[in-house]
Structure formats: C-alpha cells, structure tokens
Coordinates of all heavy atoms in Angstrom, one line a residue:
M37 N -4.0 -25.7 35.5 CA -3.2 -24.5 36.1 C -2.6 -23.7 34.9 O -2.6 -22.5 35.0 CB -2.2 -25.1 37.0 CG -1.3 -24.0 37.6 SD -1.9 -23.8 39.3 CE -0.4 -23.0 39.9
V38 N -2.0 -24.4 34.0 CA -1.3 -23.7 32.9 C -2.4 -23.0 32.0 O -2.1 -21.9 31.6 CB -0.5 -24.8 32.0 CG1 0.0 -24.1 30.8 CG2 0.6 -25.4 32.8
E39 N -3.5 -23.6 31.8 CA -4.6 -23.0 31.0 C -5.1 -21.7 31.7 O -5.3 -20.7 31.0 CB -5.7 -24.0 30.8 CG -5.4 -25.1 29.9 CD -6.6 -26.1 29.8 OE1 -7.7 -25.8 30.2 OE2 -6.3 -27.2 29.3
V40 N -5.2 -21.7 33.0 CA -5.6 -20.5 33.7 C -4.6 -19.4 33.5 O -5.0 -18.2 33.2 CB -5.8 -20.8 35.2 CG1 -6.1 -19.5 36.0 CG2 -6.9 -21.8 35.4
E41 N -3.3 -19.7 33.6 CA -2.3 -18.7 33.4 C -2.3 -18.2 31.9 O -2.2 -17.0 31.7 CB -0.9 -19.3 33.7 CG 0.2 -18.3 33.6 CD 0.2 -17.2 34.7 OE1 -0.6 -17.4 35.7 OE2 0.9 -16.2 34.5
Q42 N -2.5 -19.1 31.0 CA -2.5 -18.7 29.6 C -3.7 -17.8 29.3 O -3.6 -16.8 28.6 CB -2.6 -19.9 28.6 CG -1.3 -20.6 28.5 CD -1.3 -21.9 27.7 OE1 -2.4 -22.4 27.5 NE2 -0.2 -22.3 27.2
D43 N -4.9 -18.1 29.9 CA -6.1 -17.2 29.7 C -5.8 -15.8 30.3 O -6.2 -14.8 29.7 CB -7.3 -17.9 30.4 CG -7.8 -19.1 29.6 OD1 -7.5 -19.1 28.4 OD2 -8.6 -19.9 30.2
R44 N -5.2 -15.8 31.5 CA -4.9 -14.5 32.1 C -4.0 -13.7 31.2 O -4.2 -12.5 31.0 CB -4.3 -14.8 33.5 CG -4.1 -13.5 34.3 CD -3.4 -13.8 35.7 NE -2.0 -14.1 35.5 CZ -1.0 -13.3 35.3 NH1 -1.3 -12.0 35.2 NH2 0.2 -13.7 35.2
I45 N -3.0 -14.3 30.7 CA -2.0 -13.6 29.8 C -2.7 -13.1 28.6 O -2.5 -12.0 28.1 CB -0.8 -14.5 29.5 CG1 0.0 -14.7 30.8 CG2 0.0 -13.8 28.4 CD1 1.1 -15.7 30.6
R46 N -3.6 -13.9 28.0 CA -4.3 -13.6 26.8 C -5.2 -12.4 27.0 O -5.3 -11.5 26.2 CB -5.1 -14.8 26.3 CG -5.7 -14.6 24.9 CD -6.4 -15.8 24.4 NE -5.5 -17.0 24.3 CZ -5.6 -18.1 25.0 NH1 -6.5 -18.3 25.9 NH2 -4.7 -19.1 24.8
K47 N -5.9 -12.4 28.2 CA -6.8 -11.3 28.5 C -6.0 -10.0 28.7 O -6.4 -8.9 28.2 CB -7.6 -11.6 29.7 CG -8.7 -12.6 29.5 CD -9.4 -13.0 30.8 CE -10.5 -14.1 30.5 NZ -11.1 -14.5 31.8
L48 N -4.9 -10.1 29.4 CA -4.1 -8.9 29.6 C -3.6 -8.3 28.2 O -3.6 -7.1 28.0 CB -2.9 -9.2 30.5 CG -3.2 -9.4 32.0 CD1 -1.9 -9.9 32.7 CD2 -3.6 -8.0 32.6
R49 N -3.1 -9.2 27.4 CA -2.5 -8.8 26.1 C -3.6 -8.2 25.2 O -3.4 -7.1 24.7 CB -1.9 -10.0 25.4 CG -1.3 -9.7 24.1 CD -0.7 -10.8 23.3 NE -1.8 -11.8 23.0 CZ -1.8 -13.1 23.2 NH1 -0.8 -13.6 23.8 NH2 -2.8 -13.8 22.9
N50 N -4.8 -8.8 25.2 CA -5.9 -8.3 24.4 C -6.4 -7.0 24.9 O -6.7 -6.1 24.1 CB -7.0 -9.3 24.3 CG -6.7 -10.5 23.4 OD1 -5.8 -10.5 22.6 ND2 -7.4 -11.6 23.6
G51 N -6.4 -6.8 26.2 CA -6.8 -5.5 26.8 C -5.8 -4.4 26.5 O -6.2 -3.3 26.1
A52 N -4.5 -4.8 26.5 CA -3.5 -3.8 26.1 C -3.6 -3.4 24.7 O -3.4 -2.2 24.3 CB -2.1 -4.3 26.5
I53 N -3.9 -4.4 23.8 CA -4.0 -4.1 22.4 C -5.2 -3.2 22.1 O -5.1 -2.2 21.4 CB -4.1 -5.4 21.6 CG1 -2.7 -6.1 21.6 CG2 -4.6 -5.1 20.2 CD1 -2.8 -7.5 21.0
D54 N -6.3 -3.5 22.8 CA -7.5 -2.6 22.7 C -7.3 -1.2 23.1 O -7.7 -0.3 22.4 CB -8.7 -3.2 23.5 CG -9.2 -4.5 22.9 OD1 -8.9 -4.8 21.7 OD2 -9.9 -5.3 23.6
V55 N -6.6 -1.0 24.2 CA -6.3 0.3 24.7 C -5.4 1.0 23.7 O -5.6 2.2 23.3 CB -5.6 0.3 26.1 CG1 -5.0 1.6 26.4 CG2 -6.6 -0.2 27.1
A56 N -4.4 0.3 23.1 CA -3.5 0.9 22.2 C -4.2 1.3 20.9 O -4.0 2.4 20.4 CB -2.3 -0.1 21.8
L57 N -5.1 0.5 20.4 CA -5.9 0.8 19.2 C -6.8 2.1 19.5 O -6.9 2.9 18.6 CB -6.7 -0.4 18.8 CG -5.9 -1.5 18.2 CD1 -6.9 -2.7 17.9 CD2 -5.3 -1.1 16.9
Q58 N -7.4 2.2 20.6 CA -8.2 3.3 21.0 C -7.4 4.6 21.0 O -7.9 5.7 20.7 CB -8.9 3.1 22.3 CG -10.0 2.1 22.3 CD -10.5 1.7 23.6 OE1 -10.1 2.2 24.6 NE2 -11.6 0.9 23.7
N59 N -6.1 4.5 21.4 CA -5.2 5.6 21.4 C -4.6 5.9 20.1 O -3.7 6.8 20.0 CB -4.1 5.4 22.5 CG -4.7 5.5 23.9 OD1 -5.7 6.1 24.1 ND2 -4.1 4.7 24.8
G60 N -4.9 5.2 19.1 CA -4.4 5.5 17.7 C -3.1 4.8 17.4 O -2.5 5.2 16.4
V61 N -2.7 3.9 18.1 CA -1.4 3.2 17.8 C -1.6 2.3 16.6 O -2.6 1.6 16.5 CB -0.9 2.4 19.0 CG1 0.3 1.5 18.6 CG2 -0.6 3.3 20.2
L62 N -0.7 2.4 15.6 CA -0.8 1.5 14.4 C 0.1 0.4 14.5 O 1.3 0.6 14.9 CB -0.5 2.3 13.2 CG -1.4 3.5 12.9 CD1 -1.0 4.3 11.7 CD2 -2.9 3.1 12.7
F63 N -0.3 -0.8 14.2 CA 0.5 -2.0 14.3 C 0.9 -2.4 12.9 O 0.2 -2.1 11.9 CB -0.2 -3.2 14.9 CG -0.5 -2.9 16.4 CD1 -1.7 -2.5 16.8 CD2 0.5 -3.2 17.3 CE1 -2.0 -2.3 18.2 CE2 0.2 -3.0 18.7 CZ -1.0 -2.5 19.1
G64 N 2.0 -3.1 12.7 CA 2.5 -3.6 11.4 C 3.4 -2.6 10.7 O 3.7 -1.5 11.2
R65 N 3.8 -3.0 9.5 CA 4.6 -2.2 8.7 C 3.9 -0.9 8.2 O 2.7 -1.0 7.8 CB 5.1 -3.0 7.5 CG 6.1 -4.0 7.8 CD 6.5 -4.7 6.5 NE 7.5 -3.8 5.9 CZ 8.7 -4.1 5.4 NH1 9.0 -5.4 5.4 NH2 9.5 -3.3 4.9
P66 N 4.6 0.2 8.0 CA 3.9 1.3 7.5 C 3.6 1.1 6.0 O 4.4 0.5 5.3 CB 4.9 2.5 7.6 CG 6.2 1.9 8.1 CD 5.9 0.4 8.5
K67 N 2.5 1.6 5.5 CA 2.1 1.5 4.1 C 3.0 2.4 3.3 O 3.3 3.5 3.7 CB 0.6 1.8 3.9 CG -0.3 1.0 4.7 CD -0.4 -0.4 4.2 CE -1.4 -1.2 5.0 NZ -1.2 -2.6 4.9
I68 N 3.3 1.9 2.1 CA 4.1 2.7 1.2 C 3.2 3.6 0.5 O 2.1 3.2 0.1 CB 4.9 1.8 0.2 CG1 6.3 2.2 0.1 CG2 4.4 1.8 -1.2 CD1 7.4 2.0 0.3
Q69 N 3.5 4.9 0.4 CA 2.6 5.8 -0.2 C 3.1 6.2 -1.6 O 4.2 6.2 -1.9 CB 2.6 7.1 0.6 CG 2.0 6.9 2.0 CD 0.5 6.5 2.0 OE1 -0.3 7.0 1.3 NE2 0.2 5.5 2.8
E70 N 2.1 6.4 -2.5 CA 2.4 6.9 -3.8 C 2.9 8.3 -3.7 O 2.3 9.2 -3.0 CB 1.1 6.8 -4.6 CG 1.1 7.0 -6.0 CD -0.2 6.9 -6.6 OE1 -0.9 5.9 -6.5 OE2 -0.7 8.0 -7.1
T71 N 4.0 8.6 -4.4 CA 4.6 10.0 -4.3 C 4.6 10.6 -5.7 O 4.3 9.9 -6.7 CB 6.0 9.9 -3.8 OG1 6.8 9.1 -4.8 CG2 6.1 9.3 -2.4
E72 N 4.9 11.8 -5.8 CA 5.0 12.5 -7.1 C 6.1 11.9 -7.9 O 6.0 11.8 -9.1 CB 5.3 14.0 -6.8 CG 5.3 14.8 -8.1 CD 3.9 14.8 -8.8 OE1 2.9 14.9 -8.1 OE2 4.0 14.8 -10.1
E73 N 7.2 11.5 -7.2 CA 8.3 10.8 -7.9 C 7.8 9.5 -8.5 O 8.2 9.2 -9.7 CB 9.4 10.6 -6.9 CG 10.7 10.1 -7.5 CD 11.8 9.8 -6.5 OE1 11.5 9.8 -5.3 OE2 12.9 9.6 -7.0
F74 N 7.0 8.8 -7.8 CA 6.4 7.6 -8.4 C 5.6 7.9 -9.6 O 5.7 7.1 -10.6 CB 5.6 6.8 -7.4 CG 4.8 5.7 -8.0 CD1 5.5 4.5 -8.3 CD2 3.5 5.8 -8.4 CE1 4.8 3.4 -8.9 CE2 2.8 4.8 -9.0 CZ 3.5 3.6 -9.3
N75 N 4.8 8.9 -9.6 CA 4.0 9.3 -10.8 C 4.9 9.6 -12.0 O 4.6 9.1 -13.1 CB 3.1 10.5 -10.5 CG 2.1 10.2 -9.4 OD1 1.8 9.0 -9.1 ND2 1.6 11.2 -8.8
E76 N 6.0 10.2 -11.8 CA 6.9 10.5 -12.9 C 7.5 9.3 -13.4 O 7.6 9.0 -14.6 CB 8.0 11.5 -12.4 CG 7.5 12.9 -12.1 CD 8.6 13.7 -11.5 OE1 9.7 13.4 -11.5 OE2 8.2 14.8 -10.9
V77 N 8.0 8.4 -12.5 CA 8.7 7.1 -12.9 C 7.6 6.2 -13.6 O 7.9 5.6 -14.6 CB 9.3 6.4 -11.7 CG1 9.7 5.0 -12.0 CG2 10.5 7.2 -11.2
Y78 N 6.4 6.2 -13.1 CA 5.3 5.4 -13.7 C 5.1 5.9 -15.2 O 5.0 5.0 -16.1 CB 4.0 5.6 -12.9 CG 2.9 4.9 -13.6 CD1 2.6 3.5 -13.4 CD2 2.0 5.6 -14.3 CE1 1.6 2.9 -14.1 CE2 0.9 5.0 -15.0 CZ 0.7 3.7 -14.8 OH -0.4 3.1 -15.4
D79 N 5.1 7.2 -15.4 CA 4.8 7.7 -16.8 C 6.0 7.2 -17.7 O 5.7 6.8 -18.8 CB 4.7 9.2 -16.8 CG 3.4 9.7 -16.1 OD1 2.5 8.9 -16.0 OD2 3.4 10.8 -15.7
F80 N 7.2 7.3 -17.3 CA 8.3 6.8 -18.1 C 8.3 5.3 -18.3 O 8.5 4.8 -19.4 CB 9.7 7.2 -17.4 CG 10.1 8.6 -17.6 CD1 10.3 9.4 -16.5 CD2 10.3 9.1 -18.9 CE1 10.6 10.7 -16.7 CE2 10.7 10.4 -19.1 CZ 10.8 11.3 -18.0
W81 N 7.9 4.6 -17.2 CA 7.8 3.1 -17.3 C 6.7 2.7 -18.3 O 6.9 1.8 -19.1 CB 7.6 2.5 -15.9 CG 7.4 1.1 -15.9 CD1 8.3 0.1 -16.2 CD2 6.1 0.4 -15.7 NE1 7.6 -1.1 -16.1 CE2 6.3 -0.9 -15.8 CE3 4.8 0.9 -15.5 CZ2 5.3 -1.9 -15.7 CZ3 3.8 0.0 -15.3 CH2 4.0 -1.4 -15.4
K82 N 5.6 3.4 -18.2 CA 4.4 3.0 -19.0 C 4.7 3.4 -20.5 O 4.2 2.7 -21.4 CB 3.2 3.8 -18.5 CG 1.9 3.2 -18.9 CD 1.7 1.8 -18.3 CE 0.3 1.3 -18.6 NZ 0.2 -0.1 -18.2
A83 N 5.5 4.4 -20.7 CA 5.8 4.8 -22.1 C 7.0 3.9 -22.6 O 7.5 4.2 -23.7 CB 6.2 6.2 -22.1
E84 N 7.4 2.9 -21.8 CA 8.5 2.0 -22.2 C 9.8 2.7 -22.4 O 10.7 2.2 -23.1 CB 8.1 1.2 -23.4 CG 6.9 0.3 -23.1 CD 6.5 -0.6 -24.3 OE1 7.2 -0.5 -25.3 OE2 5.5 -1.3 -24.2
E85 N 10.0 3.8 -21.7 CA 11.3 4.5 -21.8 C 12.2 4.0 -20.6 O 13.3 4.4 -20.5 CB 11.1 6.0 -21.6 CG 10.4 6.6 -22.8 CD 10.1 8.1 -22.7 OE1 10.7 8.7 -21.8 OE2 9.2 8.6 -23.4
M86 N 11.6 3.2 -19.7 CA 12.3 2.7 -18.6 C 11.8 1.3 -18.3 O 10.6 1.1 -18.4 CB 12.0 3.7 -17.4 CG 12.7 3.4 -16.1 SD 12.2 4.5 -14.8 CE 13.0 6.0 -15.3
T87 N 12.7 0.5 -17.8 CA 12.3 -0.9 -17.4 C 12.0 -0.9 -15.9 O 12.6 -0.2 -15.2 CB 13.4 -1.9 -17.8 OG1 14.6 -1.6 -17.1 CG2 13.6 -1.9 -19.3
A88 N 11.2 -1.9 -15.5 CA 10.9 -2.0 -14.1 C 11.9 -3.0 -13.4 O 12.4 -2.7 -12.4 CB 9.5 -2.5 -14.0
G89 N 12.1 -4.2 -14.0 CA 12.9 -5.1 -13.3 C 14.3 -4.6 -13.1 O 14.7 -3.7 -13.8
K90 N 15.1 -5.0 -12.2 CA 16.5 -4.7 -12.0 C 17.0 -3.3 -12.5 O 18.2 -3.1 -12.7 CB 17.4 -5.7 -12.7 CG 17.3 -7.1 -12.1 CD 18.3 -7.9 -12.8 CE 18.2 -9.4 -12.4 NZ 19.1 -10.2 -13.0
A91 N 16.1 -2.4 -12.9 CA 16.5 -1.2 -13.6 C 16.2 0.0 -12.9 O 16.0 0.0 -11.7 CB 16.0 -1.2 -15.0
K92 N 16.1 1.1 -13.6 CA 15.9 2.4 -13.1 C 14.7 2.6 -12.2 O 14.8 3.3 -11.2 CB 16.0 3.4 -14.2 CG 17.3 3.7 -14.7 CD 17.2 4.8 -15.7 CE 18.5 5.6 -15.6 NZ 18.4 6.9 -16.0
A93 N 13.6 2.1 -12.7 CA 12.3 2.4 -12.0 C 12.4 2.2 -10.5 O 12.0 3.0 -9.7 CB 11.1 1.7 -12.6
M94 N 12.9 1.0 -10.2 CA 12.9 0.7 -8.7 C 14.1 1.3 -8.1 O 14.0 1.7 -6.9 CB 13.0 -0.8 -8.6 CG 11.6 -1.4 -8.9 SD 11.6 -3.2 -8.9 CE 12.3 -3.5 -10.5
S95 N 15.2 1.4 -8.8 CA 16.4 2.0 -8.1 C 16.2 3.5 -7.9 O 16.6 4.1 -6.9 CB 17.7 1.8 -8.9 OG 17.6 2.4 -10.2
E96 N 15.4 4.2 -8.8 CA 15.1 5.6 -8.6 C 14.2 5.8 -7.4 O 14.4 6.8 -6.6 CB 14.5 6.2 -9.8 CG 15.3 6.2 -11.0 CD 15.3 7.5 -11.7 OE1 14.5 8.4 -11.3 OE2 16.1 7.7 -12.6
L97 N 13.3 4.9 -7.1 CA 12.4 5.0 -6.0 C 12.9 4.3 -4.8 O 12.3 4.4 -3.7 CB 11.0 4.4 -6.4 CG 10.3 5.1 -7.6 CD1 9.1 4.3 -8.0 CD2 9.9 6.5 -7.2
D98 N 13.9 3.5 -4.9 CA 14.5 2.7 -3.8 C 13.5 1.8 -3.2 O 13.3 1.7 -2.0 CB 15.1 3.7 -2.7 CG 16.0 2.9 -1.8 OD1 16.6 1.9 -2.2 OD2 16.1 3.3 -0.6
I99 N 12.8 1.0 -4.1 CA 11.9 0.0 -3.7 C 12.2 -1.3 -4.4 O 12.9 -1.3 -5.4 CB 10.4 0.4 -3.9 CG1 10.2 0.8 -5.4 CG2 10.0 1.6 -3.0 CD1 8.7 1.1 -5.7
I100 N 11.6 -2.4 -4.0 CA 11.8 -3.7 -4.6 C 10.7 -3.9 -5.7 O 9.7 -3.2 -5.7 CB 11.8 -4.8 -3.6 CG1 10.5 -4.9 -2.8 CG2 13.0 -4.7 -2.7 CD1 10.5 -6.2 -2.0
K101 N 10.9 -4.9 -6.5 CA 10.0 -5.2 -7.6 C 8.5 -5.4 -7.2 O 7.6 -4.8 -7.8 CB 10.5 -6.4 -8.3 CG 9.8 -6.8 -9.6 CD 10.5 -8.0 -10.2 CE 9.8 -8.6 -11.3 NZ 10.4 -9.8 -11.9
T102 N 8.3 -6.2 -6.2 CA 6.9 -6.4 -5.8 C 6.2 -5.2 -5.3 O 5.0 -5.0 -5.6 CB 6.8 -7.5 -4.7 OG1 7.7 -7.2 -3.6 CG2 7.2 -8.9 -5.3
T103 N 6.9 -4.3 -4.6 CA 6.4 -3.1 -4.2 C 6.0 -2.1 -5.3 O 5.0 -1.5 -5.4 CB 7.3 -2.4 -3.2 OG1 7.6 -3.3 -2.1 CG2 6.7 -1.1 -2.6
F104 N 6.9 -2.1 -6.3 CA 6.7 -1.3 -7.5 C 5.4 -1.7 -8.2 O 4.6 -0.9 -8.5 CB 7.9 -1.4 -8.5 CG 7.7 -0.6 -9.7 CD1 7.8 0.7 -9.8 CD2 7.3 -1.3 -10.9 CE1 7.6 1.5 -10.9 CE2 7.1 -0.6 -12.1 CZ 7.3 0.8 -12.1
Y105 N 5.3 -3.0 -8.4 CA 4.1 -3.5 -9.1 C 2.8 -3.4 -8.3 O 1.7 -3.1 -8.8 CB 4.3 -5.0 -9.6 CG 5.2 -5.0 -10.8 CD1 6.4 -5.6 -10.7 CD2 4.8 -4.5 -12.0 CE1 7.2 -5.7 -11.8 CE2 5.6 -4.5 -13.1 CZ 6.8 -5.2 -13.0 OH 7.6 -5.2 -14.1
K106 N 3.0 -3.4 -7.0 CA 1.8 -3.2 -6.1 C 1.4 -1.7 -6.2 O 0.2 -1.4 -6.3 CB 2.2 -3.5 -4.6 CG 1.1 -3.2 -3.6 CD 1.6 -3.5 -2.2 CE 0.6 -3.1 -1.2 NZ 1.1 -3.2 0.1
L107 N 2.3 -0.8 -6.2 CA 2.0 0.6 -6.4 C 1.3 0.9 -7.8 O 0.4 1.7 -7.9 CB 3.2 1.5 -6.2 CG 3.7 1.7 -4.8 CD1 5.0 2.4 -4.8 CD2 2.7 2.4 -4.0
V108 N 1.9 0.2 -8.8 CA 1.3 0.3 -10.2 C -0.1 -0.1 -10.2 O -1.0 0.5 -10.7 CB 2.1 -0.5 -11.2 CG1 1.4 -0.7 -12.5 CG2 3.5 0.2 -11.4
K109 N -0.4 -1.3 -9.5 CA -1.8 -1.8 -9.5 C -2.7 -0.8 -8.8 O -3.8 -0.6 -9.3 CB -1.7 -3.2 -8.7 CG -3.1 -3.9 -8.7 CD -2.9 -5.2 -8.0 CE -4.2 -6.0 -7.9 NZ -4.1 -7.2 -7.2
E110 N -2.3 -0.3 -7.6 CA -3.1 0.7 -6.9 C -3.3 1.9 -7.7 O -4.4 2.5 -7.7 CB -2.5 1.0 -5.6 CG -2.5 -0.2 -4.6 CD -1.7 0.1 -3.3 OE1 -1.3 1.3 -3.2 OE2 -1.6 -0.8 -2.5
Y111 N -2.3 2.4 -8.4 CA -2.3 3.7 -9.1 C -3.3 3.5 -10.3 O -4.2 4.4 -10.5 CB -1.0 4.0 -9.7 CG -0.9 5.2 -10.5 CD1 -0.8 6.5 -9.9 CD2 -0.8 5.2 -11.9 CE1 -0.7 7.6 -10.6 CE2 -0.7 6.3 -12.6 CZ -0.7 7.6 -12.0 OH -0.6 8.7 -12.8
E112 N -3.2 2.4 -11.0 CA -4.1 2.1 -12.1 C -5.6 1.9 -11.7 O -6.5 2.3 -12.4 CB -3.6 1.0 -13.0 CG -2.4 1.3 -13.7 CD -1.8 0.1 -14.5 OE1 -2.2 -1.0 -14.3 OE2 -0.9 0.4 -15.3
K113 N -5.8 1.3 -10.5 CA -7.1 1.1 -10.0 C -7.7 2.4 -9.6 O -8.9 2.7 -10.0 CB -7.0 0.2 -8.7 CG -8.3 -0.1 -8.1 CD -8.1 -1.0 -6.9 CE -9.1 -0.9 -5.9 NZ -8.8 -1.6 -4.6
D114 N -7.0 3.3 -9.0 CA -7.5 4.6 -8.6 C -7.8 5.5 -9.9 O -8.7 6.2 -9.9 CB -6.5 5.4 -7.7 CG -6.4 4.8 -6.4 OD1 -7.3 4.0 -6.0 OD2 -5.4 5.0 -5.7
F115 N -6.9 5.3 -10.9 CA -7.1 6.0 -12.1 C -8.4 5.6 -12.8 O -9.2 6.5 -13.3 CB -5.9 5.8 -13.1 CG -6.0 6.6 -14.3 CD1 -5.7 8.0 -14.3 CD2 -6.3 6.0 -15.5 CE1 -5.8 8.7 -15.5 CE2 -6.3 6.7 -16.7 CZ -6.1 8.1 -16.7
K116 N -8.7 4.3 -12.8 CA -9.9 3.8 -13.5 C -11.1 4.3 -12.7 O -12.1 4.7 -13.3 CB -9.9 2.3 -13.5 CG -9.0 1.7 -14.6 CD -9.0 0.2 -14.6 CE -7.9 -0.3 -15.5 NZ -7.8 -1.8 -15.5
K117 N -11.0 4.3 -11.4 CA -12.1 4.8 -10.6 C -12.4 6.3 -10.9 O -13.6 6.7 -11.0 CB -11.8 4.7 -9.1 CG -12.0 3.4 -8.5 CD -11.8 3.4 -7.0 CE -11.9 2.0 -6.4 NZ -11.6 2.1 -4.9
S118 N -11.4 7.1 -11.0 CA -11.6 8.5 -11.3 C -12.2 8.7 -12.7 O -13.0 9.6 -12.9 CB -10.2 9.3 -11.2 OG -9.3 8.9 -12.1
I119 N -11.8 7.9 -13.7 CA -12.3 8.0 -15.0 C -13.8 7.6 -15.0 O -14.6 8.3 -15.6 CB -11.6 7.1 -16.0 CG1 -10.1 7.5 -16.2 CG2 -12.3 6.9 -17.3 CD1 -10.0 8.9 -16.9
L120 N -14.2 6.6 -14.3 CA -15.6 6.2 -14.2 C -16.4 7.3 -13.5 O -17.5 7.5 -13.9 CB -15.7 4.9 -13.4 CG -15.2 3.6 -14.1 CD1 -15.3 2.4 -13.2 CD2 -16.0 3.4 -15.4
Y121 N -15.8 7.9 -12.4 CA -16.5 9.0 -11.7 C -16.8 10.1 -12.7 O -17.9 10.7 -12.7 CB -15.7 9.4 -10.5 CG -16.3 10.6 -9.8 CD1 -17.4 10.4 -9.0 CD2 -15.9 11.9 -9.9 CE1 -18.0 11.4 -8.3 CE2 -16.4 12.9 -9.3 CZ -17.5 12.7 -8.5 OH -18.1 13.8 -7.8
I122 N -15.8 10.5 -13.5 CA -16.0 11.6 -14.4 C -17.0 11.3 -15.4 O -17.9 12.1 -15.8 CB -14.6 11.9 -15.1 CG1 -13.7 12.5 -14.1 CG2 -14.8 12.9 -16.3 CD1 -12.2 12.7 -14.5
Q123 N -17.0 10.1 -15.9 CA -18.0 9.7 -16.9 C -19.4 9.7 -16.3 O -20.4 10.1 -17.0 CB -17.7 8.3 -17.5 CG -16.5 8.2 -18.3 CD -16.1 6.8 -18.8 OE1 -16.6 5.9 -18.2 NE2 -15.3 6.7 -19.7
E124 N -19.6 9.3 -15.1 CA -20.9 9.3 -14.4 C -21.4 10.7 -14.2 O -22.6 10.9 -14.3 CB -20.8 8.5 -13.1 CG -20.7 7.0 -13.3 CD -20.5 6.3 -11.9 OE1 -20.4 7.0 -10.9 OE2 -20.4 5.1 -12.0
T125 N -20.5 11.6 -13.8 CA -21.0 12.9 -13.5 C -21.3 13.7 -14.8 O -22.1 14.7 -14.7 CB -19.9 13.7 -12.8 OG1 -18.7 13.7 -13.5 CG2 -19.7 13.1 -11.4
R126 N -20.8 13.3 -15.9 CA -21.1 14.0 -17.2 C -22.5 13.5 -17.8 O -23.0 14.2 -18.6 CB -20.0 13.7 -18.2 CG -18.7 14.4 -17.9 CD -17.7 14.3 -19.0 NE -16.5 15.0 -18.7 CZ -15.4 15.0 -19.4 NH1 -15.4 14.2 -20.5 NH2 -14.4 15.7 -19.0
Q127 N -23.0 12.4 -17.3 CA -24.2 11.9 -17.9 C -25.4 12.5 -17.2 O -25.6 13.1 -16.3 CB -24.3 10.4 -17.7 CG -23.3 9.7 -18.6 CD -23.3 8.2 -18.4 OE1 -24.0 7.7 -17.5 NE2 -22.5 7.5 -19.2

C-alpha cells in the first residue's frame, strides 16, 4: 500500500517537473556570470597588483574565494579557446 502511494507521488512530481522544464523554469542556484568588473579585477589580480584571498579582488566583486577561482578558471579556459580559434583561422 505504501509503495503504491510513493509511486503515485513520484509520478505526479516527475510530471510536474517535466511540465516546468518545458515551460522554461530553471531549477537550482543561478549561475554567476562574468562581468566587466570581473575582467578589470582579474587583470589587476593577474598582474599581482591585487591579492585574491581575504583581499580586494573578492571584496570588490562581493564573491567568495571559491567563486572567484571558478570564474578565473572559466575565464582562462575561454581565453585559451579564443586564442586557438584565432590560430586555426590564420592557417
């Protein structure tokens, strides 16, 4: 009896989630986006004019350390992709 009720609830929940996804509802935390301000702070940080830990880089952007380094990783990955694309198109 309990299993039947759990299956019914599971089907209802999954159906509601499917409908929500079809309507464009996004679940979870919003993704942090790279901003122009991040690009400026990144340049200062990379030139070692600013520290990342406990310091200005994160306080200026109002983010935590792990988020800062995550953005740095994505930024550098995208930068490398664009360099490779430029090199491929020149050949």
